[in-house]
Amino acid sequence: MGTPSDMKLIDENGRRLDGRGDEELRPIRITTDVLQRADGSVLMEWGGNKIMVAVYGPREAYPKHTQDIEKAVIKARYNMAAFSVDERKRPGPDRRSTEISKVISEALSAAVMVEKFPRTQIDVFIEVLQADAGTRIASLTAASVAIAAAGIPMRDMVVGCAVGKVEGRIVLDLSKDEDNFGQADVPMAVLSKGKEVVLLQMDGDLTMEEFDMATSMVLNASERIAEIQRNALVEKYKGENYPEIEGSEE
Ligand code: ADP
């Protein structure tokens, strides 16, 4: 990390390069049911990120030795399209995508009622079509909605945001330049009701005081992001007709 001398990330009015204040999020839009074959799907637009998520399952885990007799296994696969970044990204899995797939799978496992579906797998395919910093957290936040849209029981939703340090200030939801040239980058995700931390990574350095400030900024933002997740699900179910349940009328 380290800022090149000609790269100012905070302007003379104290605003960030894209005009945001320290705790301001980039625009977030979540659309469900964008794919026909998936059990649940989401298109997530978060700033310049565009991410497609498709969920299948729970279905019998295959190969058999991957089955867990006590619970469903969540298999998230994060992939960045070759055209998702400025330079062509070499297609196929690499160390970074393997790591991100793993941390996303683990975070989702804390939210899904996996114990209800022994011996099965839940596939979560994540395709980053356009990357603009914060893709792991945007993918995870989107995947949580896609799982809910698939009708898979969850104890809570996962909601995340990155926070970091730029020119000595703690700022929320880092942009690409802030991610590249800032002093710290901390992607973090929590369960939206329980506030249990399910993903926390860190690049750079922060004092304990700065770390506390950073985490409380993410907790505040998680309420706003959870609201966007809820609205996307409300929108999905709004137009649907449900059969009347016998005896449900008073
Ligand atoms: P995250 O996307 O979760 O912030 P990183 O911090 O690893 O994960 O990456 C930050 C950003 O760097 C990504 O969002 C993407 O815009 C860019 N990036 C990641 N990998 C590549 C790559 N192979 N080529 C070009 N840009 C990349």
Side-chain angles (χ1 to χ4, degrees):
M1 294 207 163
T3 319
S5 51
D6 56 342
M7 188 72 176
K8 281 285 291 164
L9 295 168
I10 305 276
D11 73 12
E12 55 280 8
N13 303 317
R15 294 251 144 203
R16 296 154 74 182
L17 287 185
D18 52 12
R20 284 186 292 151
D22 293 355
E23 290 205 50
E24 215 173 308
L25 295 167
R26 293 176 287 177
I28 300 175
R29 200 161 80 191
I30 303 175
T31 316
T32 63
D33 296 357
V34 286
L35 299 172
Q36 241 172 40
R37 294 191 189 90
D39 295 319
S41 61
V42 155
L43 173 65
M44 158 70 94
E45 292 159 276
W46 182 325
N49 293 309
K50 283 193 179 24
I51 300 166
M52 193 74 101
V53 182
V55 170
Y56 291 82
R59 55 190 180 183
E60 189 182 355
Y62 188 81
K64 264 208 153 87
H65 71 83
T66 65
Q67 291 185 355
D68 186 325
I69 54 164
E70 285 177 354
K71 56 182 195 297
V73 179
I74 298 193
K75 295 182 179 170
R77 198 206 60 171
Y78 167 102
N79 181 54
M80 265 178 39
F83 54 81
S84 64
V85 288
D86 288 337
E87 299 280 314
R88 176 177 179 277
K89 190 216 164 262
R90 193 159 171 260
D94 50 30
R95 284 180 59 160
R96 178 176 170 275
S97 66
T98 306
E99 172 213 316
I100 296 178
S101 300
K102 181 173 187 289
V103 293
I104 289 180
S105 299
E106 286 171 359
L108 291 172
S109 302
V112 174
M113 293 184 172
V114 284
E115 65 284 358
K116 284 192 184 291
F117 308 100
R119 298 184 188 279
T120 67
Q121 68 185 46
I122 297 169
D123 289 298
V124 181
F125 297 102
I126 299 163
E127 296 291 329
V128 178
L129 307 176
Q130 189 171 282
D132 193 28
T135 60
R136 76 193 61 205
I137 238 58
S139 300
L140 177 56
T141 302
S144 184
V145 179
I147 291 174
I152 299 171
M154 300 170 84
R155 62 186 100 255
D156 213 334
M157 293 288 278
V158 184
V159 43
C161 190
V163 61
K165 185 168 159 186
V166 167
E167 295 185 15
R169 292 199 359 205
I170 304 299
V171 297
L172 201 61
D173 186 19
L174 300 185
S175 68
K176 185 77 177 66
D177 287 333
E178 290 170 340
D179 185 320
N180 283 358
F181 307 118
Q183 297 151 291
D185 171 22
V186 186
M188 180 174 163
V190 295
L191 298 182
S192 68
K193 277 192 282 141
K195 303 289 183 235
E196 197 181 312
V197 179
V198 290
L199 185 152
L200 178 63
Q201 298 186 290
M202 178 158 159
D203 189 5
D205 57 86
L206 296 176
T207 64
M208 280 313 288
E209 214 173 289
E210 287 169 337
F211 183 77
D212 284 347
M213 187 175 167
T215 49
S216 66
M217 263 159 100
V218 171
L219 284 182
N220 282 336
S222 72
E223 312 247 326
R224 284 175 271 157
I225 302 165
E227 171 99 33
I228 300 170
Q229 289 179 312
R230 268 196 302 278
N231 288 343
L233 288 165
V234 167
E235 199 58 36
K236 167 184 164 62
Y237 289 110
K238 209 166 65 180
E240 293 186 14
N241 290 321
Y242 297 101
E244 236 165 74
I245 300 166
E246 242 174 89
S248 66
E249 277 174 46
E250 293 288 298

